[in-house]
Amino acid sequence: MTNPLHPKALRLGVNIDHVATIRNARGGTHPDPIRAAHLAAAAGADGITAHLREDRRHMTDADIARLVAEIALPLNLEMAATEEMLGIALKHRPHAACIVPERRAERTTEGGLDARGKRNSLQPFVARLTEAGIRVSLFIAPDARQIEAAAALGSPVVELHTGPYAHSDGSIDELARLADAARLAVSMGLEVHAGHGLTFANVSPVAALPDFAELNIGHFLIGEAVFTGLESAIQQMRRLMDAARA
Ligand code: PXP
């Protein structure tokens, strides 16, 4: 857990979706994503992130219910802005809900949410989640117009999409976009998270940016766990993040 003496330390949210991907490949109960969440907590994660997709390709409704019931760490539920997902979020009341765009054919969340273009349809979701005491985050590109739109919608948190940075092998330009966007968001009173495509090789420059409060990392950690174990992979990520902040 984050050291309470250093509240500005960068939090690590571990996304366990792909434990469920492997389980679902055989349709049984192994490996259990909730067991992974327990391990992540023991290894130093500050939160658990899980995306309940419309097609239930990885996490299931039962997984979300068990995470809420059995895991002490804060749960960040990633969800599309649909009535079905809103109902599930309101039923389980996770600590946080990160609204993401979702397209059925995509392999993973490919782009950020168009908070600007879709502000009228997003407004009731932000309002109803907030009224229920759920901390809302919008997953957006590191773009000033999207940040302004997120602030206007009343979302207290934005998560900046690090995919373009990760997929460009950590380009300096993409890193600068993240840095500028995070600074702007903080100046507008928003808490700033980041995620997508982060690995041991590319996490440090992002973790070093002082405006980020949390990184959400999944696919790489679960893949690395095949070789070194989940605890070891999470501990190594934690060390790299802490070293970047030191
Ligand atoms: N943040 C958000 C909003 C995401 O949709 C994802 C992917 O599910 C992640 C973080 C984690 O990305 P990755 O699995 O590439 O680490």
Side-chain angles (χ1 to χ4, degrees):
M1 295 283 279
T2 302
N3 185 338
L5 296 174
H6 298 283
K8 296 217 65 125
L10 185 59
R11 297 194 301 268
L12 170 60
V14 173
N15 181 316
I16 55 169
D17 290 349
H18 296 302
V19 179
T21 302
I22 299 170
R23 175 196 61 190
N24 295 358
R26 288 291 168 95
T29 57
H30 182 79
D32 179 12
I34 286 67
R35 181 175 166 199
H38 281 294
L39 263 175
D46 299 291
I48 299 297
T49 293
H51 185 177
L52 185 67
R53 292 187 77 101
E54 187 188 18
D55 62 11
R56 309 301 198 268
R57 69 176 71 159
H58 36 60
M59 303 304 289
T60 64
D61 300 59
D63 291 331
I64 300 301
R66 285 182 62 211
L67 283 172
V68 170
E70 296 177 31
I71 303 296
L73 288 181
L75 174 66
N76 173 32
L77 177 69
E78 291 181 2
M79 55 174 269
T82 65
E83 280 300 323
E84 183 199 15
M85 289 302 150
L86 179 64
I88 291 168
L90 295 178
K91 178 171 146 205
H92 291 299
R93 296 181 185 241
H95 166 76
C98 180
I99 303 180
V100 300
E102 209 172 286
R103 281 187 295 274
R104 241 167 219 255
E106 71 188 356
R107 242 183 238 187
T108 178
T109 315
E110 282 163 3
L113 201 62
D114 184 6
R116 191 163 183 247
K118 296 213 159 70
R119 55 178 174 256
N120 291 342
S121 57
L122 287 171
Q123 181 69 68
F125 288 90
V126 176
R128 288 167 69 190
L129 290 165
T130 302
E131 278 161 24
I134 300 167
R135 196 159 167 80
V136 179
S137 164
L138 301 183
F139 185 52
I140 57 172
D143 175 304
R145 288 161 308 178
Q146 296 296 342
I147 291 163
E148 284 155 11
L153 276 164
S155 178
V157 183
V158 287
E159 178 163 328
L160 301 183
H161 197 320
T162 50
Y165 161 79
H167 299 140
S168 64
D169 280 334
S171 109
I172 295 290
D173 290 347
E174 293 296 343
L175 185 66
R177 282 184 71 200
L178 288 165
D180 292 347
R183 196 174 315 118
L184 174 68
V186 166
S187 77
M188 299 180 85
L190 299 171
E191 181 176 311
V192 193
H193 302 174
H196 203 93
L198 295 175
T199 67
F200 291 160
N202 65 24
V203 74
S204 300
V206 176
L209 298 174
D211 292 314
F212 286 119
E214 178 175 307
L215 302 183
N216 284 302
I217 308 180
H219 183 267
F220 175 81
L221 287 174
I222 306 308
E224 192 63 14
V226 172
F227 304 109
T228 65
L230 187 58
E231 268 189 284
S232 158
I234 292 170
Q235 283 164 351
Q236 176 63 3
M237 190 62 84
R238 178 82 267 167
R239 273 194 292 274
L240 289 168
M241 288 165 56
D242 291 344
R245 275 293 164 102

